[in-house]
Amino acid sequence: MFGIEPPLKDLELLDQECPFFIQQFSSEAEAKMLANRSVLIKFVVELWGHGNTHEDLIESLRNSHDSVVPYLSDTASFKIVVDGFNKSLPQKYKIETIERLTERALPFTGKIDLKKPDHLYYLLEDYGKQKKNAESFPQHVYFGRWVADGNRNEIQNQRINKRSFIGNTSMESSLSLLMANLSKVQKNMLVIDPFVGTGSILVPCAYHHAYVMGTDINYLLLHAKAKPSRSKQKTRSPDESIRNNLAQYGLETYYCDIMVGDASRHSMWRTSEIFDAIITDPPYGIREGAKKVGKEEDVLLTPDQRVDHIPQKVDYDLSNIFNDLLNFAYKFLRTGGRLTYWFPVHRAAYKEENIPHHPCMKLVSNCEQVLNIRISRRLITMEKVQPYREDQYLASQTHVDHYLNASFREMYFKVTENPQKSLKSEGNSQHIKKPP
């Protein structure tokens, strides 16, 4: 999004169990841009030295680059923070570590200021993977100058319990912000959520100055007439709406509209690639059932009955939801735009062939959020690489239907005797027993 190209060789060395990652940037400005947008980065430091032990660190700092020298001779105030991963460090140990570092490697001449220092430094100790009993000595030690904090404060600012309009399936703010970043949402974009619900995904998009809109088939929810989600609240307030949620953050100017509509009915839209991003979390059938307009039996309506008629709804299975979603993106997403959505799975049965694909959509990322030992959901991001052509309609396909033998609701609430055998293969029958 910012034109920053991280070296692939560095990304390949990323340890999923380690919270520290060394990354090369061409300038400090690049690091600040990235941190200012990211909700997964805690902070960025300019690395001055590191080593497996404190002695290695001290030797590394003594041989550090000339760019460190001006900070040592500067009269500006400073503060050093000592922090450990996977181990709580006593205050006495922190003070001794700082004194040893400043005496032997970094003779700062400025004054110490613990409240508002001109420069902030971090000494970070890595005690290895999360476990009950950490090692006595760190596995690796880092030291550097603070450059920027990540945008994690926005997670608290956008917490859903602070909003007037929430529902059972409102997306938590950290994940909504992450989805907006994966979709590269920027100023003046047009973003849609086809399963908008209470609009929790649209808030971070508007926060990044994109214009937002959405559709949902649930008339009662969008008009604040559905059952409230908050404890002890008997009825919803008339002012509960997605628009008021945005107004709460001063973002009402980015509100386009919310429509009661069926996401499966693409014909209600004028065929035009108008959306810059499609970001959504379709209903899984756990807390909210997935529905679409349909008839279980034909009923003839009189002209009077057609006035204000609410059509019948039928179940909308997940396999069709995701294929329709990709087809919607093919028709209405601009080339280069991104589609980001959640795909719930049974972990033992999941395989990459379960993810629907489209010849005009390229898979960008596939991340797992573990919900419990059996169930997770995949955060899928795709980018449109070819424009829509009316004379050559291309449809989404799924090589292996993850929901062929059981709905996700059945996978979620029931325990299989052998999920590897009963769910992993399409042709195998499923043996289900009640959970203990």
Side-chain angles (χ1 to χ4, degrees), residues 110 124 148 207 211 275 283 291 379:
L124 304 169
Y207 164 72
Y211 294 94
F275 299 115
K291 298 289 183 179
L379 183 54

Side-chain angles (χ1 to χ4, degrees), residues 208-225:
H208 291 304
H209 300 170
Y211 294 94
V212 297
M213 62 185 301
T215 63
D216 202 287
I217 200 170
N218 194 334
Y219 174 94
L220 295 178
L221 176 64
L222 295 184
H223 288 82
K225 296 180 180 180

Side-chain angles (χ1 to χ4, degrees), residues 138-207:
Q139 296 181 0
H140 210 87
V141 188
Y142 308 85
F143 184 87
R145 179 180 61 89
W146 174 87
V147 173
D149 286 327
N151 196 26
R152 295 186 62 80
N153 287 337
E154 199 57 35
I155 296 175
Q156 295 298 320
N157 295 338
Q158 296 188 23
R159 286 180 61 184
I160 59 175
N161 61 358
K162 296 180 179 179
R163 300 177 192 171
S164 61
F165 185 41
I166 62 171
N168 292 330
T169 58
S170 295
M171 183 67 63
E172 60 179 283
S173 58
S174 60
L175 296 178
S176 298
L177 286 159
L178 180 61
M179 295 175 78
N181 282 350
L182 285 169
S183 303
K184 299 198 296 186
V185 173
Q186 299 177 69
K187 185 177 181 180
N188 293 332
M189 279 187 169
L190 179 59
V191 180
I192 186 171
D193 181 352
F195 301 91
V196 70
T198 58
S200 54
I201 293 176
L202 299 184
V203 173
C205 298
Y207 164 72

Side-chain angles (χ1 to χ4, degrees), residues 204-423:
C205 298
Y207 164 72
H208 291 304
H209 300 170
Y211 294 94
V212 297
M213 62 185 301
T215 63
D216 202 287
I217 200 170
N218 194 334
Y219 174 94
L220 295 178
L221 176 64
L222 295 184
H223 288 82
K225 296 180 180 180
K227 184 179 179 180
S229 302
R230 285 188 167 91
S231 176
K232 299 181 180 180
Q233 183 181 356
K234 295 182 179 180
T235 58
R236 287 189 178 272
S237 172
D239 63 350
E240 290 187 36
S241 67
I242 296 174
R243 184 170 191 164
N244 283 342
N245 273 358
L246 294 176
Q248 182 179 338
Y249 297 98
L251 302 172
E252 187 179 3
T253 184
Y254 299 104
Y255 176 88
C256 291
D257 206 352
I258 303 297
M259 298 173 287
V260 179
D262 183 352
S264 70
R265 299 297 180 101
H266 299 171
S267 58
M268 70 178 180
W269 298 92
R270 181 181 63 200
T271 303
S272 177
E273 297 172 313
I274 59 173
F275 299 115
D276 297 290
I278 302 171
I279 312 174
T280 191
D281 181 32
Y284 312 149
I286 306 299
R287 293 180 176 177
E288 299 290 344
K291 298 289 183 179
K292 65 178 180 178
V293 172
K295 295 181 180 179
E296 295 182 357
E297 57 182 26
D298 291 332
V299 178
L300 184 62
L301 300 176
T302 65
D304 292 339
Q305 290 173 329
R306 291 194 181 99
V307 178
D308 296 329
H309 171 66
I310 299 177
Q312 297 181 36
K313 302 183 185 74
V314 296
D315 291 337
Y316 193 9
D317 65 88
L318 279 174
S319 299
N320 288 333
I321 284 179
F322 293 117
N323 282 320
D324 287 347
L325 187 59
L326 265 66
N327 291 332
F328 180 81
Y330 172 51
K331 279 187 175 181
F332 306 107
L333 185 66
R334 68 168 179 83
T335 304
R338 288 192 171 186
L339 164 68
T340 301
Y341 63 94
W342 288 99
F343 186 89
V345 300
H346 188 286
R347 299 183 69 194
Y350 168 75
K351 56 180 70 174
E352 290 189 5
E353 290 83 356
N354 297 143
I355 304 300
H357 65 94
H358 193 286
C360 296
M361 303 291 293
K362 178 184 71 174
L363 181 65
V364 175
S365 65
N366 179 351
C367 314
E368 182 184 25
Q369 182 195 21
V370 177
L371 302 178
N372 58 45
I373 193 172
R374 296 181 299 108
I375 299 298
S376 70
R377 56 181 180 176
R378 319 290 302 198
L379 183 54
I380 308 298
T381 301
M382 295 180 167
E383 187 170 303
K384 188 173 178 180
V385 294
Q386 295 182 29
Y388 172 72
R389 290 178 55 182
E390 292 188 10
D391 61 337
Q392 185 183 8
Y393 183 75
L394 303 173
S396 170
Q397 295 180 345
T398 304
H399 288 309
V400 180
D401 188 354
H402 188 70
Y403 314 105
L404 180 64
N405 296 323
S407 68
F408 183 70
R409 183 179 179 85
E410 293 173 322
M411 298 178 192
Y412 187 89
F413 286 111
K414 298 181 181 180
V415 179
T416 58
E417 292 180 352
N418 191 337
Q420 289 284 358
K421 292 183 179 180
S422 61
L423 282 172

